[in-house]
Amino acid sequence: MKQKKYNIMFGFIIFMMLFHFAFKPLNLIKDKELAGFYKVPEKVEFNSENYFSRKFQDSLEKSINYQFGLFPGFTRIHHQIEYSIFNRIHVKDVHNGQNGYLYRYCEGCITNRTFDSVYLDMYLDKYLIVQDSLKAAGKNIVWIIAPDKNIVFSEFLPRDLKHGVEVYSFYWSLQKAFKRKGINYIDFNELAFREKKKYAFEVFNKGGVHWTSSYAARCFDSVCKYLGTKTNIKIKNVISNKKVEHPWGPDVDMEEAANLLIPLQQDRLFLSDMTSESNSKNRKLLLIGDSFAHSWTWTKYYANCFHPQSEFWYYNREANTLENTFIRNVDHKSARLKTTEFDTFIIVFNAANAEYLDYGFIDDLHR
Amino acid sequence: MVFSSTLFLFYFLPVFLILYYLAPAKFKNYIILLASIVFYSWGGPLFIFVILFTTALDFILVKQIEKSSSRKKKKIFLCISLFVNLGLLFTFKYLYFFTTNIDSVLTLTGVAPIGMDKLILPIGLSFFTFESLTYVIDVYRGEYKSLKSFRNYLTYILLFPKLIAGPIIPYNKIAHQIEGDRKTSAEMRLSGLLRFIFGLSKKVLIANVIGETVEELYKLELSQIDTAIAWAMSVGYTMQLYFDFSGYSDMAIGICKMIGFTIPENFNFPYISKSITEFWRRWHISLGNWMRNYLYIPLGGSKGSFFRTYFNLWIVFIISGFWHGAGWNFILWGAFNGLFLMIERLYLSKYLKNNLAVLYTFFVANIGWVLFKNEDMNVALMIYKKMFSFEFNSLQILDFRFVIMLFFAFFISFSGLFKSFYSATQNDETLFVEHKWRLNLLFTLSIIFLVLSSSYILGQDFNPFIYFRF
């Protein structure tokens, strides 16, 4: 009887060690694949040269982990233990803050580096020439500083990253320079500070890098209103801010990449609904920006607020429609001519990439 | 292929065990031999031919030793075997060290250096060389008869659980088991598997986790670290080394048990020792035994004069240090331990009676491991300087995970101080007969540890085996 018990115990553990075959290669059980980027090492061809030089063995041992049936499951267990017990997150460049908040781009945002003041002044003088020329032609340009999680939710930053406001050096010096030079800009960090507890939805999700869809919509609405008053041209059918209880596509990219077993407990997930109509009388927008501006285009809703031929130049590199369809690569040499087609310009950046200014757009116009 | 790899844990080991248990009794040794050849040639595909050659040569030479009637002939065959085995060890492990040292002297005197490229050390060379020597010497001494079958001798040398990092099994402890006199029972299989999983956990969950932080700390600018960090580095490494090596030994002993072999223990709570002398009876026991039986006693042991005895002791420790690696730090580490052994023997031992002596031993061992870890003597000296400078100004905050695992490591290392725990770990049989709940508890824990260890093997890249390079 005892022997039988010991044999069952032994057999059970051996069975556990072979259980991965049910996942791969037998495919009897399906597991959710891991999110994020995993570069599976290439397997070297089996031949005598590779075998005796150990290249084959090394490559097989490295690649076998990724093809192993229980790789996703065990990786999630590891990541969850590390996160829950040891407060460690296994995503490159992501910092684990307090209260479940994750942070990224901290190094670009919280830094003691800053602009060369002479260079910045020269650059903004060039910008002012563009701003004044557009104004004279009845066109409009505005800089948007998207909110940065490192600033708006600085209270939850990891202890070793908590500092005073002066450490957001690029953002801070650029904002001061805008004021000094009289440049039109909207700072959604300031707005977010004022409004972060005003709405039922969050400015940022705990596990996301970017603003939530709801807050992005709230800010877009604000931009449209601003453009309407500045140009005396009504932008028709501006977004209506209806909130739905069940969000579509919440921004939790860091959390997804963290591959945890149990998702982070998000506080308030909402998505703004919107109705608008695109027609040729609407303003023809050229939107230049980063992934925060991307949040305005990937939902496709905002396209209807502007002329159908409006464009989004992602990092001033790829020209897309406002519905996020790729059109062409940006031709920097002909950018000046091309921009005459548009009558409204929005440049979007945030504190983490403030040092790149407008991604070279103004320089293109001065070629 | 290390034991704590996906390939070994989830493919090689279960497949080997299934084949082994399914095979008829007369083919079981063939399965072991085949698995051992596959295992070794996976990591050293060229060196397998070297090991096969020396093993065949030793087998023939030992037969000749046994056959020869004259003492002189026996001695000649013994010398050939020693020359081949130690020559191989010298060439692969020490030739580069001696050449670079000679080159340094030649450069100083203005003579052109010899120059040589570093050779790749065949894995486990130090271990199987010592095992081969036990076979040759035991038969030469007439203490044991030679193995009849070459296959069995090859199985003894290549037995994969202990092949690359020990324990060093003297021929006389295992010969009869290889020849078929080994008991296999359900208890033995299960206790072997549990032992393997606990060893795996020690290695993956404690040694690797601590080691990862230790390596990160070693990447800091050493001039910038303070006393707390220097101690964290040294104590961290002290624990990493113990859990790494003892974990590996547990896995080796566990696998052997699963296939019916009983092999000697390699560790017995070394950090609860009350002297360095005792420490060396509890740390890497199989090496200590080898050194005593095949070096210290042949040198004359303690039977000679006062000075001769102390000379023998010291030389054994220096050679033991040098066995670990071809570097001055290993020689110094051996000499350092030998020195404390002599001091204890001379007058310190009478003071080392109470539990405070455990602190003394841990302190001395820890100081020694700094030498062991750092081949660059400047680094070792810098760490010593920082450890005793009593400056606490670093902004470096120790990783919470490191602190927790270090706490666990201390708890387990010193748990042998509790008599009930100590006695429970000394005999696996008590697992099955004394307390039913103990087996159920260990079985449940082993499943949890297997899942946790597997997740750590797959979830992080840091997975070195320190003793593999010896």
Side-chain angles (χ1 to χ4, degrees):
Chain A
M1 191 63 190
K2 272 185 181 174
Q3 300 288 311
K4 198 176 172 187
K5 182 186 172 186
Y6 303 151
N7 280 331
I8 289 170
M9 284 174 156
F10 181 83
F12 181 77
I13 297 177
I14 297 295
F15 173 76
M16 274 179 71
M17 289 160 95
L18 292 168
F19 187 60
H20 60 94
F21 284 113
F23 291 83
K24 282 180 187 173
L26 298 177
N27 287 322
L28 299 175
I29 309 169
K30 290 258 179 224
D31 197 4
K32 191 183 160 195
E33 287 298 317
L34 294 173
F37 180 69
Y38 280 86
K39 194 179 177 189
V40 181
E42 262 183 53
K43 230 189 283 179
V44 171
E45 190 194 347
F46 179 75
N47 57 39
S48 59
E49 190 191 337
N50 288 335
Y51 182 76
F52 285 110
S53 64
R54 289 204 75 241
K55 281 182 191 161
F56 170 75
Q57 291 93 315
D58 287 343
S59 75
L60 184 77
E61 283 201 45
K62 279 177 190 160
S63 64
I64 208 164
N65 281 357
Y66 297 89
Q67 283 142 15
F68 176 65
L70 290 166
F71 176 59
F74 277 142
T75 304
R76 283 204 178 83
I77 292 171
H78 169 264
H79 288 8
Q80 188 67 51
I81 293 166
E82 289 274 295
Y83 175 74
S84 302
I85 301 175
F86 302 120
N87 205 29
R88 291 162 73 105
I89 196 97
H90 286 266
V91 193
K92 200 179 177 207
D93 301 331
V94 169
H95 298 263
N96 191 17
Q98 295 159 53
N99 206 20
Y101 279 83
L102 304 179
Y103 294 87
R104 204 181 172 197
Y105 303 123
C106 304
E107 288 73 19
C109 190
I110 303 167
T111 175
N112 52 15
R113 293 182 300 120
T114 190
F115 292 108
D116 177 273
S117 57
V118 178
Y119 165 79
L120 185 62
D121 278 353
M122 274 173 60
Y123 197 89
L124 293 180
D125 285 343
K126 279 195 278 184
Y127 175 81
L128 276 172
I129 295 168
V130 174
Q131 182 178 288
D132 293 344
S133 313
L134 289 173
K135 199 174 177 182
K139 297 182 176 185
N140 205 260
I141 185 165
V142 63
W143 288 73
I144 305 290
I145 308 176
D148 194 293
K149 198 174 181 180
N150 294 292
I151 296 175
V152 178
F153 284 100
S154 61
E155 67 269 36
F156 297 125
L157 276 169
R159 277 193 196 91
D160 56 325
L161 289 174
K162 269 191 178 178
H163 300 286
V165 285
E166 69 281 0
V167 295
Y168 305 109
S169 53
F170 286 113
Y171 160 69
W172 216 241
S173 52
L174 197 56
Q175 197 206 45
K176 277 185 195 163
F178 281 167
K179 283 179 184 162
R180 196 173 67 243
K181 296 273 183 184
I183 290 171
N184 297 332
Y185 77 98
I186 301 173
D187 184 354
F188 283 121
N189 283 301
E190 288 180 355
L191 193 70
F193 266 126
R194 285 205 303 273
E195 294 191 340
K196 75 178 181 182
K197 286 179 183 154
K198 185 175 167 184
Y199 295 102
F201 51 83
E202 286 288 8
V203 176
F204 289 94
N205 287 331
K206 285 183 175 179
V209 172
H210 303 102
W211 46 12
T212 58
S213 331
S214 300
Y215 197 70
R218 154 81 189 90
C219 293
F220 198 76
D221 185 40
S222 167
V223 172
C224 291
K225 279 177 183 155
Y226 166 81
L227 288 171
T229 49
K230 282 280 170 185
T231 55
N232 290 326
I233 300 167
K234 291 286 175 209
I235 297 172
K236 289 178 183 173
N237 305 319
V238 178
I239 306 157
S240 65
N241 212 6
K242 292 176 191 168
K243 297 168 201 80
V244 291
E245 289 293 336
H246 302 290
W248 170 77
D251 185 275
V252 287
D253 36 11
M254 286 188 286
E255 182 189 320
E256 288 282 325
N259 290 310
L260 299 174
L261 269 179
I262 308 159
L264 292 180
Q265 199 67 44
Q266 302 292 343
D267 286 339
R268 292 164 291 179
L269 289 173
F270 281 82
L271 178 71
S272 291
D273 201 6
M274 59 213 70
T275 50
S276 59
E277 185 195 338
S278 175
N279 63 60
S280 57
K281 287 177 188 168
N282 277 357
R283 302 288 284 179
K284 200 185 256 186
L285 172 72
L286 176 58
L287 175 65
I288 299 140
D290 56 6
S291 50
F292 278 78
H294 216 243
S295 307
W296 282 342
T297 61
W298 72 298
T299 56
K300 303 182 195 299
Y301 293 144
Y302 309 92
N304 288 344
C305 302
F306 289 91
H307 189 281
Q309 286 173 332
S310 298
E311 289 185 6
F312 164 45
W313 291 6
Y314 184 51
Y315 281 104
N316 197 30
R317 284 196 308 258
E318 287 174 8
N320 301 279
T321 66
L322 284 194
E323 288 190 324
N324 211 33
T325 307
F326 177 75
I327 307 169
R328 63 183 183 281
N329 285 321
V330 171
D331 179 5
H332 298 286
K333 286 179 187 165
S334 63
R336 190 173 174 180
L337 184 66
K338 182 71 186 166
T339 50
T340 56
E341 295 173 13
F342 302 97
D343 51 19
T344 297
F345 299 83
I346 299 175
I347 301 168
V348 182
F349 68 94
N350 72 93
N353 59 22
E355 66 176 302
Y356 304 110
L357 294 162
D358 58 0
Y359 322 105
F361 176 64
I362 296 300
D363 276 341
D364 285 347
L365 298 188
H366 280 82
R367 273 177 196 275
Chain B
M1 196 187 328
V2 294
F3 290 170
S4 56
S5 67
T6 314
L7 186 62
F8 183 84
L9 193 59
F10 295 104
Y11 296 89
F12 185 89
L13 183 64
V15 171
F16 161 72
L17 289 174
I18 288 169
L19 289 177
Y20 179 81
Y21 294 132
L22 289 177
K26 61 178 179 179
F27 292 119
K28 285 192 190 297
N29 274 7
Y30 284 108
I31 298 287
I32 295 173
L33 183 59
L34 184 70
S36 300
I37 290 172
V38 170
F39 180 83
Y40 191 82
S41 58
W42 184 262
L46 281 172
F47 299 125
I48 188 72
F49 298 110
V50 177
I51 201 170
L52 287 174
F53 166 74
T54 56
T55 310
L57 189 71
D58 280 336
F59 185 76
I60 294 164
L61 289 170
V62 166
K63 285 279 175 208
Q64 294 306 314
I65 291 172
E66 209 170 37
K67 269 188 202 166
S68 305
S69 48
S70 82
R71 192 86 190 144
K72 195 179 169 187
K73 268 190 177 176
K74 281 180 190 280
K75 210 168 222 173
I76 289 170
F77 289 124
L78 174 73
C79 288
I80 295 171
S81 175
L82 291 179
F83 179 77
V84 172
N85 283 300
L86 294 175
L88 213 64
L89 185 64
F90 178 82
T91 308
F92 281 108
K93 194 166 178 176
Y94 300 107
L95 185 60
Y96 178 77
F97 171 75
F98 283 106
T99 310
T100 46
N101 279 283
I102 292 166
D103 279 353
S104 307
V105 177
L106 291 177
T107 311
L108 283 175
T109 52
V111 181
I114 306 160
M116 93 168 260
D117 293 328
K118 196 170 187 177
L119 298 172
I120 300 167
L121 182 68
I123 48 173
L125 179 67
S126 311
F127 289 92
F128 69 71
T129 301
F130 272 31
E131 284 182 342
S132 305
L133 293 182
T134 66
Y135 176 63
V136 179
I137 294 168
D138 282 358
V139 175
Y140 171 78
R141 284 172 176 170
E143 290 173 3
Y144 295 92
K145 290 206 162 159
S146 67
L147 284 163
K148 287 186 188 112
S149 140
F150 177 63
R151 188 198 71 217
N152 285 345
Y153 179 56
L154 205 55
T155 308
Y156 160 57
I157 294 296
L158 288 178
L159 186 66
F160 77 86
K162 55 81 190 168
L163 177 63
I164 43 184
I168 300 165
I169 311 171
Y171 160 68
N172 55 59
K173 298 267 186 217
I174 202 170
H176 61 287
Q177 298 181 55
I178 286 180
E179 287 190 321
D181 179 21
R182 54 181 194 265
K183 49 170 185 176
T184 43
S185 63
E187 283 100 321
M188 212 170 159
R189 274 197 296 273
L190 182 59
S191 72
L193 185 57
L194 298 187
R195 180 79 182 262
F196 174 83
I197 293 170
F198 280 93
L200 179 75
S201 315
K202 280 166 83 175
K203 156 73 189 150
V204 176
L205 301 178
I206 300 181
N208 283 3
V209 169
I210 291 175
E212 195 178 4
T213 305
V214 169
E215 288 309 311
E216 281 167 16
L217 293 176
Y218 265 97
K219 284 178 194 154
L220 296 173
E221 184 63 51
L222 284 179
S223 57
Q224 304 298 314
I225 63 167
D226 71 350
T227 301
I229 297 295
W231 277 97
M233 287 160 80
S234 70
V235 172
Y237 184 72
T238 296
M239 286 302 172
Q240 182 200 353
L241 186 65
Y242 171 54
F243 280 89
D244 188 273
F245 193 20
S246 70
Y248 184 89
S249 295
D250 286 337
M251 285 189 269
I253 293 167
I255 298 171
C256 281
K257 280 189 95 171
M258 282 190 265
I259 53 175
F261 284 96
T262 303
I263 62 171
E265 290 292 332
N266 221 12
F267 290 88
N268 187 13
F269 295 102
Y271 292 141
I272 62 166
S273 307
K274 289 180 178 169
S275 65
I276 290 297
T277 315
E278 186 188 348
F279 177 81
W280 281 105
R281 284 193 213 113
R282 291 171 175 271
W283 177 280
H284 203 173
I285 299 165
S286 63
L287 178 70
N289 287 342
W290 194 98
M291 287 287 171
R292 190 185 63 240
N293 295 333
Y294 297 96
L295 192 63
Y296 180 66
I297 293 171
L299 280 171
S302 54
K303 286 180 181 164
S305 65
F306 175 84
F307 287 107
R308 179 71 198 190
T309 302
Y310 282 87
F311 173 78
N312 288 346
L313 259 180
W314 213 28
I315 204 76
V316 164
F317 268 87
I318 288 171
I319 289 172
S320 174
F322 203 38
W323 174 87
H324 282 88
W328 285 106
N329 63 314
F330 291 109
I331 296 172
L332 281 174
W333 171 74
F336 172 85
N337 279 285
L339 184 71
F340 271 90
L341 218 77
M342 291 195 296
I343 295 170
E344 283 174 8
R345 217 169 175 170
L346 278 169
Y347 68 97
L348 205 59
S349 57
K350 59 184 172 223
Y351 302 108
L352 301 172
K353 303 285 184 201
N354 58 22
N355 281 342
L356 274 178
V358 174
L359 286 180
Y360 147 82
T361 310
F362 185 80
F363 177 79
V364 175
N366 185 54
I367 297 294
W369 292 133
V370 175
L371 272 176
F372 187 88
K373 158 84 178 154
N374 298 291
E375 289 188 38
D376 185 343
M377 294 304 293
N378 291 324
V379 175
L381 287 174
M382 179 63 92
I383 292 170
Y384 284 139
K385 194 179 151 191
K386 291 288 179 179
M387 283 168 81
F388 297 103
S389 66
F390 300 103
E391 295 165 0
F392 297 91
N393 53 11
S394 173
L395 292 173
Q396 179 79 25
I397 300 164
L398 281 177
D399 181 24
F400 174 64
R401 189 181 68 158
F402 173 73
V403 176
I404 291 288
M405 295 322 286
L406 204 57
F407 170 79
F408 273 115
F410 268 95
F411 178 75
I412 296 167
S413 303
F414 292 98
S415 58
L417 286 171
F418 303 101
K419 274 184 186 163
S420 57
F421 190 87
Y422 182 79
S423 57
T425 59
Q426 295 303 296
N427 186 1
D428 282 350
E429 304 309 315
T430 59
L431 192 79
F432 297 92
V433 290
E434 281 185 1
H435 305 286
K436 279 181 188 167
W437 61 266
R438 188 182 286 163
L439 175 64
N440 292 337
L441 175 71
L442 290 182
F443 177 70
T444 311
L445 281 178
S446 69
I447 288 172
I448 295 168
F449 286 156
L450 180 63
V451 172
L452 292 181
S453 302
S454 306
S455 68
Y456 268 74
I457 289 169
L458 285 154
Q460 64 183 39
D461 295 332
F462 190 85
N463 192 16
F465 254 124
I466 297 174
Y467 260 71
F468 268 22
R469 63 196 178 111
F470 305 137

